[in-house]
Amino acid sequence: MLNFRAQNNGFMSSKRFLFSCLCLFFFGVMSNNIIAQKKELSYYLPQIEFNEEIPTPEEYLGYQIGEWHISHDQLIGYCKILAEKSDRVTLKEYARSHENRPLINLIFSHPKNQSNLDSLRKRHLQISDEGIVKNVPLVLYQGYSIHGNEPSGANAAALVAYYLAAGKSKTIDKLLKEDIVIIDPCYNPDGLQRFSTWVNMHRSANLNPDENDREFSEEWPGGRTNHYWFDLNRDWLLLVHPESKGRIKNYHFWKPNVLTDHHEMGKNSTFFFQPGVPSRTNPNTPQRNQDLTEEIAQFHMKALDAIGSKYFMKKRFDDFYYGKGSTYPDANGAIGILFEQASSRGHLQERNKGVLSFPFTIRNQVVTSLSTQAAAIKMRDKLIKYQAQFYKNAKIKAQQNSIKGYVFHDNDNRKIQFFLDRLKSHKVKFSKTVEEITKEKTYPVGSYVVPMDQKEYTLAKTIFEPVSAFGDSIFYDVSAWTMPMAFDLNYTSLNASELSQITSAQETSVKTKDFETSQRETSSPFHKMYLARKDTLHEDHKRLPKIALLVGDGVYSNNAGEVWHHFDKKHNIPITKIDIHQFKNSERLNKYNTLIMVNGRYGELDSTRIEFMKEWIYKGGKLICFGSALRWAQKHDLLDITFKKRKVKDTETDEYKYVSTEVSRNANVIGGAIFETKMDLDHPLCKGYEDNIYYSFKQGTHFLEKPKSRKVEVVLNYTNKPRKSGYVSKGNEKLIANSPCLVRQQHYNGAVIGFVDNPVFRGYWFAGEKLLMNAVFE
């Protein structure tokens, strides 16, 4: 017994010892995770001397960058402190977000330059205006976190700003004596504030990297987008939102030589910097731009090698769409650079190999911010000369181009004002015609003309030209954005004799109202109609639109935001956003006469809710569906339609079979292109249109068969050769040709209306707004 007890006690002691070791290991790991989150300043920045009178981010925030996610208000507060304490920096607010948060620049230069900034700016503009390359400063513009849930950029911005404001080194002295560095610490204030709140409220004291933790699963719609759920990194050319309008006005105020755009990507990746996929570069971008981008990349490689960070370039991402932060500069004689850091999406997260910490993601963004500054110092003469040559070459290209200009006209003054405001914002010159011209259509005196022989030739060209030739069949984003088509304007190209015929030898100046002013003074006719019906004495009072929009899990937030913005911001008409989880009984739906379902997955709607939706429609409700929501409506017998299938070859049997087009890959993806349709002008949904040709913007591969049922009215039909601008595979173009684009089906007193394509795409597709508003007001 004694021996047994001794052995048992020894065994128990061993167990306790093992348990204690495991506990120590476990808590040690967790403790190390916490300690690892707090890094010394030297982890992020070079070990140089700093001005002690200027507070570090940690001294201002009360925590080190990387321990918590900086909120937008904290970031702005710290930037104000830097501007107050440092004589190297001027703070300038250039816009306000939808939620009234400031967008700012920190303008860094040597103290002796600060009192002379505007004079330096004007000297810098001589590069693009006059081709002067001597005794002019270079302008480097560094911007961060246009996607709110890609926070390493904004957190890095605080450190980069501190480095420039307080750092003491020959490198900083040289940079700031000769040049100007502008820090835009957060392109998307509302998204960053939303995301930082989410991750900070779910941060555990003992950091938990488990990918299933709620910290890494944002609630719908997430923090990526702005207030109206738009992706602001698609709005640089379209200018729908105040953040973008202010940014582009500011861009042309400074005309930088280099602009950087710091993003994040999936957690299992590494770090990307441009150049992107060579075959997907916009053909209007000079090869010299890509060569200089690759030369700058050598500085990033060296800097990342020094800290042991992995990276890649020339893969995945491209430089095609000029409406993104890293490509808009390419159309303006600058070098735009995209950075993509693998995202921790929180404070510490598991990935395929180990864990990814928030401080690590921030450090890579800081390091490449400083490597960009190093490149600007070493390559300043090349970058300045490139911008000057870009504008000289633009004039040569304009002279070589057989298209000498574009003329456009529309009877809708509101639409014209919106379009002219965009041209003005991009510094594209235009004037009024002095003679009438007929080219298929008649353009009367007083129409507008944009000559190609102008400084902003590249921007004018990309705004107006239809695109049909491509070096690749895969695109990171849209392949077309021809803006006169988006605005449903009558327009045509002009040769030299036609341009001289309708323009005065002396250029006339056209006064245009800014966007907000034109919106106020040229109010929406649908808003007026809404106000009229709101009057209880109006004969159509009972037809006052009471609109609900289904939102929440499964619904495509960008599309939902486009509809919300369309009614709320563009037309001042109230719309109720109902979360799909709250959509439980008919009483909630009975308050409305119109329900909109955009692209999404609607599996949350069970049979009970579907039945009361049908009953609501039968009694007079109107259901409006976009894109994939048509498939939901078809499945539940609300639209008597059939979707086309694609004929493919089975690799195992060598036999052909038909498969759904809903899931498409590679060249069969329609990332965004413009197609021609014909409309039935006699149909109530087409009220207000003067021409039966309508341009529809298509994303996705939803193609309808011609309806067999007489119950289904076809309002829009794609033409026989529908592609007008952008890439589409030959197979997809055949599937699109002559197929329905907009359908309507009556159900007793109600109706279901199906838009195959989004009529208010990205908030700038003015062509479709009458279709949607007619659907609501009919």
Side-chain angles (χ1 to χ4, degrees):
M1 286 290 289
L2 290 172
N3 288 338
F4 172 77
R5 285 178 180 171
Q7 290 174 357
N8 192 46
N9 286 339
F11 173 71
M12 292 300 290
S13 297
S14 298
K15 285 179 69 177
R16 290 192 189 100
F17 176 74
L18 179 61
F19 178 73
S20 299
C21 288
L22 288 172
C23 287
L24 286 170
F25 173 77
F26 174 76
F27 288 115
V29 169
M30 298 308 291
S31 177
N32 284 338
N33 285 341
I34 298 169
I35 293 169
Q37 290 297 114
K38 182 171 182 179
K39 300 292 187 181
E40 296 299 322
L41 198 60
S42 58
Y43 175 77
Y44 298 111
L45 295 175
Q47 296 188 39
I48 60 173
E49 185 181 350
F50 289 92
N51 184 343
E52 293 182 358
E53 293 182 4
I54 297 174
T56 65
E58 183 178 11
E59 289 169 342
Y60 174 79
L61 296 168
Y63 63 85
Q64 180 60 287
I65 293 287
E67 285 188 272
W68 295 85
H69 283 244
I70 197 168
S71 63
H72 182 261
D73 53 346
Q74 290 174 325
L75 181 58
I76 296 300
Y78 182 61
C79 290
K80 288 180 178 178
I81 288 292
L82 291 180
E84 179 186 321
K85 298 288 186 181
S86 174
D87 57 3
R88 301 175 181 176
V89 58
T90 296
L91 186 150
K92 180 183 177 183
E93 180 180 318
Y94 67 82
R96 287 267 168 164
S97 70
H98 284 294
E99 295 177 14
N100 202 36
R101 292 190 172 90
L103 289 97
I104 67 164
N105 281 161
L106 290 177
I107 305 164
F108 289 92
S109 196
H110 192 273
K112 291 182 180 179
N113 295 336
Q114 284 293 331
S115 60
N116 202 28
L117 274 180
D118 199 54
S119 175
L120 288 172
R121 180 186 67 83
K122 289 175 181 176
R123 275 172 51 194
H124 166 76
L125 293 179
Q126 291 178 326
I127 302 170
S128 56
D129 289 343
E130 303 172 37
I132 294 174
V133 296
K134 292 184 178 180
N135 300 316
V136 291
L138 175 143
V139 173
L140 168 61
Y141 195 108
Q142 298 186 282
Y144 302 85
S145 295
I146 201 164
H147 295 144
N149 63 356
E150 299 176 3
S152 58
N155 284 265
L159 291 160
V160 176
Y162 171 73
Y163 168 79
L164 291 173
K168 297 180 178 181
S169 72
K170 291 181 180 179
T171 300
I172 295 173
D173 283 347
K174 182 174 178 58
L175 178 66
L176 299 187
K177 280 180 180 178
E178 296 182 349
D179 303 313
I180 297 168
V181 179
I182 301 173
I183 300 293
D184 194 327
C186 180
Y187 285 141
N188 180 4
D190 299 345
L192 182 73
Q193 190 75 17
R194 188 160 66 244
F195 180 72
S196 63
T197 300
W198 176 267
V199 289
N200 286 337
M201 70 185 280
H202 290 99
R203 180 188 186 276
S204 299
N206 295 302
L207 298 184
N208 183 359
D210 188 337
E211 62 182 353
N212 296 313
D213 192 90
R214 196 165 191 259
E215 179 181 355
F216 311 116
S217 301
E218 298 172 76
E219 286 283 357
W220 193 98
R224 177 183 176 89
T225 53
N226 77 342
H227 174 80
Y228 281 100
W229 311 333
F230 278 67
D231 186 335
L232 287 177
N233 200 39
R234 305 297 183 267
D235 199 40
W236 290 67
L237 195 63
L238 313 180
L239 302 184
V240 173
H241 299 279
E243 300 95 328
S244 308
K245 294 170 200 166
R247 185 180 309 117
I248 293 305
K249 182 178 181 180
N250 195 43
Y251 182 95
H252 288 284
F253 184 76
W254 284 103
K255 216 67 168 170
N257 299 92
V258 178
L259 182 142
T260 61
D261 188 17
H262 291 256
H263 287 252
E264 291 182 1
M265 55 185 164
K267 65 179 181 179
N268 291 315
S269 194
T270 56
F271 191 90
F272 168 85
F273 46 81
Q274 285 178 317
V277 179
S279 60
R280 297 189 218 160
T281 301
N282 192 298
N284 292 309
T285 299
Q287 180 58 42
R288 180 62 174 157
N289 171 287
Q290 297 295 288
D291 295 341
L292 289 171
T293 304
E294 189 161 358
E295 188 172 342
I296 293 172
Q298 307 305 310
F299 290 82
H300 310 321
M301 293 166 67
K302 182 179 179 181
L304 291 170
D305 284 340
I307 61 171
S309 287
K310 296 179 180 179
Y311 52 83
F312 67 99
M313 61 180 181
K314 295 187 177 181
K315 296 179 181 178
R316 193 184 308 177
F317 302 98
D318 64 39
D319 278 330
F320 191 81
Y321 172 46
Y322 276 147
K324 297 190 297 182
S326 59
T327 45
Y328 186 81
D330 297 343
N332 287 275
I335 307 298
I337 303 175
L338 170 69
F339 296 105
E340 292 274 357
Q341 164 63 49
S343 180
S344 65
R345 280 294 189 269
H347 294 87
L348 189 73
Q349 187 176 182
E350 296 171 340
R351 57 175 177 171
N352 285 348
K353 294 182 180 179
V355 294
L356 180 62
S357 74
F358 188 37
F360 177 82
T361 69
I362 296 168
R363 182 173 63 162
N364 283 343
Q365 301 279 28
V366 171
V367 165
T368 48
S369 296
L370 302 194
S371 64
T372 304
Q373 294 171 11
I377 293 171
K378 293 287 187 181
M379 297 173 59
R380 71 182 310 275
D381 289 346
K382 291 181 181 179
L383 294 167
I384 288 170
K385 287 177 181 177
Y386 168 72
Q387 188 172 70
Q389 193 62 47
F390 175 90
Y391 284 101
K392 288 179 182 177
N393 290 344
K395 189 168 186 65
I396 295 170
K397 290 177 181 178
Q399 292 167 352
Q400 294 172 340
N401 194 338
S402 60
I403 295 176
K404 299 303 180 182
Y406 290 91
V407 62
F408 60 94
H409 172 73
D410 199 276
N411 292 324
D412 185 339
N413 185 54
R414 175 175 171 270
K415 210 165 45 171
I416 284 286
Q417 283 294 331
F418 276 65
F419 185 69
L420 293 178
D421 186 67
R422 280 158 174 79
L423 295 181
K424 184 179 178 183
S425 295
H426 294 302
K427 302 299 181 183
V428 173
K429 292 183 179 180
F430 54 88
S431 61
K432 285 191 173 184
T433 60
V434 296
E435 295 287 343
E436 178 181 284
I437 187 171
T438 299
K439 284 191 70 177
E440 295 184 359
K441 295 178 182 178
T442 297
Y443 297 86
V445 173
S447 297
Y448 293 91
V449 61
V450 172
M452 289 293 100
D453 189 4
Q454 60 171 289
K455 177 183 173 183
E456 298 301 343
Y457 164 79
T458 308
L459 279 174
K461 185 171 183 282
T462 196
I463 285 170
F464 280 90
E465 67 176 352
V467 186
S468 57
F470 303 94
D472 206 324
S473 60
I474 300 172
F475 301 87
Y476 188 75
D477 196 67
V478 298
S479 61
W481 48 90
T482 313
M483 291 182 74
M485 293 182 181
F487 278 76
D488 190 33
L489 301 176
N490 293 320
Y491 90 109
T492 190
S493 60
L494 302 168
N495 60 31
S497 62
E498 291 166 339
L499 180 65
S500 62
Q501 173 190 334
I502 63 173
T503 55
S504 169
Q506 185 175 2
E507 185 177 317
T508 57
S509 174
V510 181
K511 292 184 179 180
T512 61
K513 304 177 178 71
D514 63 58
F515 177 85
E516 296 295 342
T517 304
S518 66
Q519 191 177 37
R520 286 194 302 270
E521 296 184 5
T522 314
S523 61
S524 159
F526 295 102
H527 177 62
K528 294 176 183 176
M529 193 184 304
Y530 178 84
L531 291 178
R533 290 192 186 182
K534 200 173 181 181
D535 185 346
T536 55
L537 299 177
H538 195 278
E539 60 181 351
D540 281 336
H541 175 65
K542 291 183 178 179
R543 295 171 60 208
L544 176 72
K546 297 176 182 177
I547 312 162
L549 170 67
L550 213 53
V551 302
D553 289 346
V555 179
Y556 291 6
S557 59
N558 289 150
N559 289 175
E562 288 156 3
V563 172
W564 176 24
H565 178 269
H566 175 80
F567 286 97
D568 182 50
K569 197 69 176 174
K570 288 177 72 174
H571 296 285
N572 297 307
I573 293 173
I575 182 170
T576 300
K577 305 177 293 298
I578 300 180
D579 193 280
I580 199 165
H581 297 303
Q582 298 175 318
F583 195 61
K584 293 179 179 177
N585 57 61
S586 57
E587 289 182 8
R588 188 181 294 273
L589 188 54
N590 285 337
K591 290 180 64 177
Y592 313 98
N593 53 29
T594 304
L595 176 66
I596 300 177
M597 296 173 65
V598 298
N599 275 286
R601 300 179 299 276
Y602 292 94
E604 290 280 344
L605 296 176
D606 57 28
S607 58
T608 302
R609 284 186 277 185
I610 292 167
E611 287 306 312
F612 79 63
M613 284 178 68
K614 288 183 177 180
E615 184 181 345
W616 172 79
I617 293 170
Y618 298 159
K619 290 180 179 179
K622 190 183 304 172
L623 176 64
I624 299 174
C625 298
F626 292 4
S628 60
L630 273 71
R631 292 183 183 271
W632 179 91
Q634 177 215 33
K635 180 180 178 181
H636 297 289
D637 301 321
L638 290 169
L639 277 176
D640 193 1
I641 55 176
T642 304
F643 286 87
K644 291 184 176 182
K645 293 185 176 181
R646 181 181 291 113
K647 189 177 181 182
V648 298
K649 193 174 185 179
D650 190 307
T651 55
E652 294 183 2
T653 65
D654 280 344
E655 294 180 354
Y656 285 93
K657 60 182 180 180
Y658 288 90
V659 299
S660 172
T661 61
E662 189 172 13
V663 180
S664 300
R665 291 182 174 86
N666 301 325
N668 281 321
V669 171
I670 301 179
I674 302 170
F675 297 88
E676 182 184 71
T677 73
K678 283 191 176 180
M679 60 169 52
D680 178 359
L681 290 175
D682 293 327
H683 198 284
L685 293 184
C686 300
K687 182 180 178 181
Y689 287 92
E690 299 174 354
D691 193 324
N692 71 338
I693 296 298
Y694 167 81
Y695 296 112
S696 186
F697 194 92
K698 189 171 197 65
Q699 273 191 321
T701 49
H702 305 292
F703 314 129
L704 298 183
E705 298 280 6
K706 182 178 179 180
K708 295 179 181 179
S709 173
R710 292 184 177 181
K711 297 177 183 177
V712 179
E713 308 160 31
V714 177
V715 184
L716 294 181
N717 232 53
Y718 295 104
T719 57
N720 187 44
K721 294 182 178 179
R723 183 181 65 128
K724 287 301 170 184
S725 187
Y727 174 81
V728 62
S729 68
K730 290 181 180 179
N732 278 342
E733 188 165 16
K734 287 181 181 179
L735 290 169
I736 295 169
N738 300 311
S739 69
C741 181
L742 172 59
V743 295
R744 182 187 184 280
Q745 184 169 344
Q746 190 76 26
H747 288 277
Y748 300 102
N749 294 319
V752 177
I753 297 169
F755 287 88
V756 175
D757 304 327
N758 180 357
V760 290
F761 177 71
R762 289 185 177 169
Y764 88 110
W765 204 260
F766 276 71
E769 73 170 15
K770 287 178 188 174
L771 288 172
L772 179 57
M773 300 309 275
N774 287 338
V776 168
F777 278 91
E778 70 161 348

